[in-house]
Amino acid sequence: MDDFSRQIAFLEQHSTYARRWLNAHPEWVDWLRSQGGKKVDLRGIRELLVSYGIGPQEPNQEETRFMANLRLARQRLMVWIGFRDLNGLADLKEVTHGLSHFAELAVSESIAYIREDLKARFGLPWSEARDSEMPLMVVGMGKLGGLELNLSSDIDLIFLYEREGETVGGPKSLSNHEWFTRMGKRLIHMLAEHDENGFVFRVDMRLRPNGDSGPLACSLDMLEEYLVVQGREWERYAWIKGRLIAPLPGSVEHAYCAKELDQLIRPFVYRRHLDYGVIASIRDLHAQIQREAEKRSSGREGRSRDIKLGRGGIREIEFLAQMFQLMRGGTDPRLRVRPTLEILNFIQRQSILPADEVDALKAAYVFLRRLEHRIQVWDDQQTHYLPDDEPTRERLAISMGEQDHSRNMPKFMVDLDLHQNNVARLFEKAFLLDDSTRLDLAPLARDWEPDPLFFPQALLRWQTWLESPKQKQLPEKSHLIFGNLMRKAAESLQAGGDESTHADQTLLRFFDLLESIARRSAYLSILAEYPRALLNVLALLSASQWGAQYLTQHPHLLDHLLNSRTEKALIEHPEEYWREVRESLNMRLDDVMADGDGSEQAMDILRVTHHTETFITLLADLGIGVEEPLAVEKVSDHLSALADLILQTTFERVWPGVAQKFGLDKKLVPPFAIISYGKLGGKELGYASDLDLVFLYQSAESDYAAQETFALFAKRMINWLTAFTSTGSLFEIDTRLRPNGSAGFLVTNAEAFKKYQMREGDNAAWVWEHQALTRARFSAGNTAVGLEFDAVRSEVLSQKRNIDQLRTEILEMRRKVHAGHPNPSGDFDLKHDSGGMVDIEFMVQFLVLAYSSQHQKLIGNLGNIALLRIAGEVGLIDPGVALSVGNAYRLFRSRQHRLRLDGAEKTRINLENESELIAARETVLALWLEIFRAPSDSE
């Protein structure tokens, strides 16, 4: 027996359905000999339909002949797919996509057939707005929408049309509603009617508005009103899979109709914020489905296990994926896809769940779907029950054994149990089915209050809260969550070992947070559903006043306290991490700007992205969710990379509007660059640092039109970056470091910038501007302009200078800066006092300007510590001193950073008992005197 004969025998052994049709049509065996080795794809399906006279170019047939041929094509396709699937020639995707594509074509060809008859009798529905025919819009729901049809699926459909009106061009006229209703009834009949050739698909219309009691076809206006007024929570899950299948994808009509439909469905399914309320909703729906599945199973002798709806079944995997879609899809368009495996892959890539857990879910999904197909292909029955009798299970075990057929029944049942137990365990974990892990929502004891000895200030706040109108107006559930969260937080803090004053302060910060989210049930749900989130919130509030205020201002960030995988990805794979952040940001911006300006929404997206990435950096900085807290240099690196990303994205998104205004090419990258100075230029950005920016452009100096264009460009960029929107703000922008400061043009021609910095002519840069240039770099924009800036910077810094004159000028400037920051406190100001950070920065700037002409290594914008080390290596200062002053700078920055996180405005420290700081300051003072030969704080 040759391989093909064995494959046919195996098909017939495991499918009585295939055996019947091959016996009835023995010529199909020869067809399979040539076709069975070919992948089931769209082209092959079209060729199969054409062989039965069904296709756009095929002549009309009698309706009974058309229906018979459509059914025969379906049966032959099923045998083809069964042959490939059972013999291990097709993967799951080929099977489900093949069936789904056939369904799309069957629907479209049937519509085209019916349309000709209705057109001859009643004309066509016509869209006056578009001056074109109004097509029947068919939405595939469920597995059809997700391209996941199984071997005996019914198809869930919804019929829609653009708007009400009357048909035109026929001997009689009908209302559009009546015309599309007739079309829908005949379409169902054409697909679902049984004859001697079977059926094409069972059709289920119960997902339409108002279900069986609603009209068969409805207008988009009716659909919109229904979703707004009556749309239920379970319909949000259903519409996740909704996909327009007619008009056919790829057609002009499909693009228009899909856009119109998406504008209605997207806001219904996906909330603009993180939606944690879906957890409880899906949990309730799942419980209801399981109860119904158990009822059905109990009444089915010999078929007790439902691999679709039962415990650990396919539906639990789908629900788990849909939970993340509904929860996060409003803020991340990448989750708005339909196939379950695609969602699981995305969840894995983004580390939303651990990789091993997602691998287990994917393996279970593929196993259960393959088993489902083998149960159904036996007799083309829409069933999901695993038979109890041993011979049937033995047959299924063999059919699941891929090509070696060696898998026996006990091994098969062990594998099935393993997969279903994995799914059940992970579903229970994700949906918190264990009540003991969730917040107890029993009413608080009437006399409960924070311990007055441990939380004296929080107690006063609690008592005031109980009498406040805001508390009394809360919904009952929110009231219960609020009270129990306070109780849980107080218990946790009291048991945590913190001294009373600090614990009291932390509980007050928690009170601030709860008050800010009291009316936002989605955020309360995070803390109620996830105990890990509450513990991480308390850790953050305890560690940082600034972090506490930031979270209270931006409560959507609570989502990032659920797990630590994002922080780990940021630390371990920063390049890959920022690439994904950039891709996600651009996808979301494309989403809101595709149909017009969308600038307000785009500005909100930029702000939410900045808040999110700043917060993730903060968590890593505080050591929350990671093994070691980030060093301050790494924190600044991340914040600087984030600022660069926001600047580049703003550059890319603002330019098209400016180009359109001036009649320029929107697709060309403008010759414009954003140069960063100061903290961002030196990659020492802090959480609340402003940005010192200079804008350069390339053009002829006499090109005043370019000046006007790029001045508007810069103004719009600044507006995007500084405007306060509903989601907050991004940065404070300072442009005073541009040539001539506030008196100069907002944007500077690159050639004019060079002349200014090189002091060619009367209008020339001051020494302090060259000092600033040591910490300047190209941050965003056109890289060619950035390279020109780098060349100018290098040329300026490598000039030969009068070192004594330079020393005098920089010393004078340092004393002016010192005078501008008086410190009467007696404490040491880490930044501004002599021996502090500014002294170190001025010393480095002097060394760079004085000696770069001799030592080119000093030109690089490498940071103060690296430049001190280079100065030591080339003999400008003692290498040991260079190392000590570099360590002093690192220490000062670290202490300053911690003080800022604790909310300090002035970073001043009493040096009593601060021997490390005293020694560091003395090292800095000694080097200062060696370089400048005079103190930095007096004449």
Side-chain angles (χ1 to χ4, degrees):
M1 185 183 289
D2 61 13
D3 285 347
F4 176 73
S5 299
R6 279 193 291 272
Q7 289 169 336
I8 287 291
F10 194 73
L11 169 66
E12 292 185 337
Q13 178 187 349
H14 294 282
S15 174
T16 59
Y17 162 78
R19 192 187 317 145
R20 281 199 308 272
W21 280 102
L22 290 177
N23 286 338
H25 294 271
E27 71 277 10
W28 288 7
V29 175
D30 290 333
W31 179 78
L32 276 177
R33 187 182 293 276
S34 63
Q35 196 72 13
K38 297 178 183 176
K39 182 178 180 179
V40 180
D41 57 16
L42 196 53
R43 180 180 176 181
I45 296 167
R46 288 186 190 277
E47 290 172 352
L48 175 61
L49 285 167
V50 167
S51 72
Y52 282 97
I54 299 170
Q57 312 302 323
E58 298 302 309
N60 272 354
Q61 311 174 41
E62 289 292 326
E63 185 166 336
T64 53
R65 182 72 263 158
F66 178 87
M67 290 175 63
N69 283 340
L70 194 57
R71 280 150 180 73
L72 287 169
R74 184 262 187 189
Q75 313 308 349
R76 192 188 285 201
L77 176 81
M78 287 280 286
V79 171
W80 182 16
I81 290 175
F83 174 86
R84 288 183 56 77
D85 187 22
L86 283 166
N87 284 291
L89 303 173
D91 61 13
L92 178 62
K93 183 177 180 179
E94 179 183 331
V95 173
T96 58
H97 278 225
L99 291 162
S100 302
H101 288 316
F102 178 81
E104 292 171 18
L105 291 173
V107 167
S108 286
E109 295 298 342
S110 298
I111 288 173
Y113 186 94
I114 299 163
R115 173 187 173 278
E116 290 303 311
D117 178 54
L118 290 178
K119 176 185 175 183
R121 296 163 60 200
F122 306 110
L124 294 170
W126 200 257
S127 170
E128 302 225 349
R130 295 187 296 116
D131 192 29
S132 62
E133 179 184 348
M134 204 182 291
L136 176 67
M137 298 160 62
V138 181
V139 181
M141 305 289 281
K143 285 191 164 54
L144 175 56
L147 290 168
E148 297 168 326
L149 279 186
N150 56 44
L151 280 166
S152 194
S153 282
D154 58 4
I155 55 175
D156 296 290
L157 302 179
I158 293 177
F159 298 150
L160 304 170
Y161 55 94
E162 197 175 329
R163 56 178 54 88
E164 303 297 351
E166 302 285 326
T167 61
V168 297
K172 293 175 66 177
S173 181
L174 291 177
S175 70
N176 288 350
H177 176 75
E178 177 61 25
W179 195 95
F180 284 114
T181 299
R182 291 189 183 205
M183 167 75 82
K185 286 178 179 177
R186 288 184 62 182
L187 177 59
I188 294 169
H189 171 80
M190 195 162 274
L191 295 173
E193 181 75 10
H194 279 256
D195 65 16
E196 65 271 20
N197 296 306
F199 61 94
V200 186
F201 289 103
R202 308 173 194 88
V203 178
D204 191 333
M205 299 293 299
R206 289 175 295 175
L207 292 178
R208 69 187 188 268
N210 292 307
D212 286 338
S213 62
L216 189 66
C218 68
S219 68
L220 292 180
D221 286 343
M222 179 190 165
L223 174 65
E224 181 177 27
E225 182 180 353
Y226 172 83
L227 294 177
V228 170
V229 177
Q230 300 181 56
R232 289 157 289 183
E233 197 70 16
W234 67 263
E235 287 175 293
R236 289 180 64 201
Y237 321 138
W239 273 100
I240 283 179
K241 297 278 191 185
R243 180 172 62 90
L244 190 69
I245 64 167
L248 272 176
S251 65
V252 175
E253 292 92 343
H254 181 275
Y256 172 80
C257 294
K259 180 180 172 183
E260 292 289 301
L261 181 62
D262 185 60
Q263 289 174 349
L264 301 185
I265 299 304
R266 187 194 304 171
F268 172 67
V269 175
Y270 298 109
R271 306 298 191 240
R272 288 184 65 181
H273 51 75
L274 287 163
D275 186 4
Y276 275 86
V278 303
I279 299 172
S281 300
I282 294 182
R283 199 161 50 217
D284 293 343
L285 180 60
H286 170 260
Q288 179 185 339
I289 288 173
Q290 272 215 322
R291 284 194 298 271
E292 291 173 2
E294 285 165 7
K295 274 186 199 173
R296 288 197 298 270
S297 293
S298 63
R300 291 176 180 266
E301 187 69 30
R303 292 185 289 178
S304 59
R305 188 186 294 208
D306 187 332
I307 65 166
K308 178 182 178 181
L309 302 180
R311 178 183 178 276
I314 296 166
R315 182 56 52 84
E316 289 190 355
I317 304 173
E318 293 171 339
F319 270 176
L320 199 149
Q322 286 176 315
M323 176 185 79
F324 290 109
Q325 288 184 275
L326 289 173
M327 189 189 299
R328 301 165 184 263
T331 59
D332 191 340
R334 294 174 296 177
L335 280 158
R336 299 176 201 163
V337 296
R338 297 173 182 90
T340 300
L341 284 175
E342 280 189 35
I343 292 298
L344 291 176
N345 284 330
F346 178 78
I347 288 169
Q348 188 173 44
R349 284 197 308 274
Q350 296 301 112
S351 300
I352 296 171
L353 290 178
D356 59 330
E357 293 185 2
V358 181
D359 282 337
L361 289 169
K362 290 192 294 186
Y365 183 79
V366 172
F367 182 92
L368 292 171
R369 290 300 310 271
R370 291 181 69 242
L371 176 58
E372 175 186 49
H373 291 162
R374 278 145 184 75
I375 292 171
Q376 293 178 349
V377 78
W378 174 249
D379 200 25
D380 192 19
Q381 293 294 312
Q382 189 188 17
T383 178
H384 305 92
Y385 292 99
L386 181 71
D388 286 339
D389 64 289
E390 196 163 312
T392 304
R393 289 191 173 185
E394 184 71 43
R395 175 178 55 75
L396 286 171
I398 294 169
S399 71
M400 287 289 286
E402 299 175 4
Q403 292 184 330
D404 61 8
H405 306 165
S406 62
R407 192 179 290 242
N408 56 29
M409 203 255 285
K411 175 71 165 58
F412 161 68
M413 292 304 298
V414 167
D415 285 350
L416 177 60
D417 288 341
L418 172 68
H419 287 304
Q420 290 198 294
N421 287 335
N422 280 341
V423 172
R425 173 177 56 83
L426 295 173
F427 184 88
E428 181 175 317
K429 178 181 174 184
F431 285 92
L432 305 154
L433 297 184
D434 180 359
D435 290 338
S436 66
T437 66
R438 301 200 301 273
L439 185 70
D440 181 7
L441 293 186
L444 285 179
R446 294 179 64 86
D447 60 350
W448 183 86
E449 60 185 20
D451 185 331
L453 297 176
F454 211 75
F455 304 107
Q457 295 302 314
L459 172 61
L460 293 175
R461 181 83 174 273
W462 174 255
Q463 290 168 341
T464 304
W465 165 257
L466 290 179
E467 299 302 318
S468 69
K470 189 174 180 181
Q471 182 269 146
K472 292 172 182 174
Q473 292 167 4
L474 281 183
E476 178 63 21
K477 184 175 181 182
S478 297
H479 186 272
L480 289 172
I481 293 175
F482 191 110
N484 280 289
L485 283 172
M486 279 297 296
R487 175 187 55 78
K488 185 82 172 173
E491 290 172 357
S492 178
L493 290 169
Q494 200 160 356
D498 272 3
E499 52 93 16
S500 171
T501 303
H502 187 68
D504 195 20
Q505 184 182 61
T506 303
L507 194 59
L508 283 170
R509 292 172 182 173
F510 187 61
F511 218 123
D512 290 337
L513 174 65
L514 284 187
E515 276 205 78
S516 73
I517 65 173
R519 293 191 164 278
R520 305 173 80 171
S521 59
Y523 297 141
L524 287 175
S525 294
I526 296 176
L527 297 175
E529 297 280 0
Y530 290 95
R532 166 56 57 189
L534 177 57
L535 293 175
N536 283 341
V537 164
L538 294 176
L540 169 67
L541 301 184
S542 174
S544 170
Q545 180 183 335
W546 186 88
Q549 292 170 341
Y550 199 74
L551 179 60
T552 300
Q553 290 166 359
H554 310 296
H556 64 271
L557 299 171
L558 281 166
D559 175 57
H560 298 281
L561 288 162
L562 297 184
N563 64 63
S564 60
R565 286 178 285 277
T566 308
E567 295 95 280
K568 287 180 180 175
L570 171 64
I571 294 168
E572 294 170 5
H573 308 288
E575 288 186 11
E576 182 180 337
Y577 180 86
W578 288 117
R579 188 183 69 250
E580 289 201 1
V581 171
R582 186 181 303 109
E583 289 172 358
S584 171
L585 174 59
N586 280 321
M587 183 179 289
R588 280 179 280 171
L589 291 171
D590 289 342
D591 191 44
V592 300
M593 300 184 79
D595 301 325
D597 181 25
S599 57
E600 187 174 337
Q601 286 175 281
M603 288 163 70
D604 283 343
I605 288 169
L606 279 176
R607 281 149 181 75
V608 169
T609 299
H610 184 260
H611 299 157
T612 299
E613 300 307 324
T614 298
F615 191 67
I616 289 168
T617 301
L618 173 67
L619 295 179
D621 183 6
L622 297 174
I624 296 173
V626 291
E627 293 177 7
E628 292 284 337
L630 273 186
V632 65
E633 294 92 341
K634 289 291 186 183
V635 171
S636 291
D637 284 347
H638 293 317
L639 294 176
S640 300
L642 173 59
D644 287 350
L645 171 63
I646 296 295
L647 288 172
Q648 182 65 32
T649 305
T650 304
F651 167 84
E652 293 168 359
R653 299 293 170 164
V654 171
W655 172 248
V658 176
Q660 185 172 358
K661 179 177 176 63
F662 289 99
L664 302 172
D665 189 342
K666 294 189 285 188
K667 294 182 179 178
L668 285 181
V669 179
F672 184 90
I674 300 98
I675 309 301
S676 57
Y677 282 67
K679 292 294 184 186
L680 178 57
K683 294 190 177 180
E684 293 183 353
L685 207 63
Y687 290 112
S689 298
D690 60 3
L691 305 187
D692 294 298
L693 303 180
V694 169
F695 301 107
L696 298 182
Y697 68 93
Q698 285 177 333
S699 77
E701 287 191 67
S702 59
D703 186 351
Y704 299 112
Q707 169 79 29
E708 181 186 1
T709 299
F710 292 118
L712 178 65
F713 186 20
K715 286 175 184 175
R716 288 195 178 176
M717 282 193 66
I718 291 171
N719 179 59
W720 269 51
L721 294 166
T722 60
F724 196 90
T725 73
S726 59
T727 52
S729 61
L730 279 170
F731 304 107
E732 291 291 326
I733 303 294
D734 190 336
T735 61
R736 290 174 296 175
L737 288 174
R738 66 188 187 267
N740 299 307
S742 298
F745 291 115
L746 179 60
V747 295
T748 305
N749 180 287
E751 186 61 32
F753 179 81
K754 177 180 179 179
K755 290 177 180 177
Y756 179 82
Q757 294 291 348
M758 295 297 293
R759 299 175 171 173
E760 298 174 3
D762 297 334
N763 188 26
W766 296 82
V767 169
W768 67 263
E769 291 177 281
H770 286 179
Q771 287 180 251
L773 200 61
T774 65
R775 285 160 62 82
R777 64 183 178 87
F778 167 71
S779 266
N782 187 315
T783 52
V785 187
L787 289 171
E788 183 173 351
F789 164 78
D790 289 340
V792 172
R793 177 181 177 277
S794 179
E795 192 173 351
V796 171
L797 297 186
S798 59
Q799 285 181 309
K800 288 187 177 180
R801 303 172 193 267
N802 182 318
I803 293 179
D804 288 336
Q805 183 182 342
L806 178 69
R807 181 182 290 113
T808 300
E809 289 181 343
I810 291 182
L811 180 60
E812 288 176 359
M813 179 54 66
R814 174 65 186 104
R815 286 174 172 173
K816 284 181 182 178
V817 172
H818 189 277
H821 295 85
N823 177 14
S825 70
D827 293 340
F828 174 49
D829 189 312
L830 290 165
K831 181 174 182 180
H832 293 292
D833 277 357
S834 57
M837 293 167 63
V838 175
D839 272 10
I840 299 173
E841 291 165 359
F842 269 64
M843 286 191 287
V844 170
Q845 289 161 13
F846 170 78
L847 293 169
V848 170
L849 293 175
Y851 299 107
S852 287
S853 61
Q854 303 168 42
H855 305 289
Q856 295 288 303
K857 286 182 179 179
L858 291 168
I859 292 174
N861 187 349
L862 305 174
N864 291 307
I865 295 172
L867 289 169
L868 282 166
R869 177 178 50 76
I870 291 170
E873 289 171 354
V874 299
L876 298 177
I877 57 176
D878 180 89
V881 172
L883 179 63
S884 297
V885 174
N887 288 337
Y889 191 71
R890 184 179 287 114
L891 173 64
F892 294 161
R893 281 197 65 202
S894 178
R895 294 294 294 272
Q896 179 195 50
H897 185 66
R898 293 298 145 190
L899 287 169
R900 290 263 164 82
L901 284 178
D902 285 336
E905 284 188 34
K906 305 284 187 183
T907 53
R908 295 171 178 170
I909 296 178
N910 186 326
L911 291 183
E912 189 177 347
N913 301 320
E914 290 281 359
S915 57
E916 188 179 17
L917 280 178
I918 292 170
R921 185 186 188 190
E922 287 174 351
T923 302
V924 174
L925 288 170
L927 182 60
W928 178 275
L929 288 173
E930 179 185 331
I931 290 174
F932 288 101
R933 305 167 189 170
S936 63
D937 58 354
S938 63
E939 294 293 341

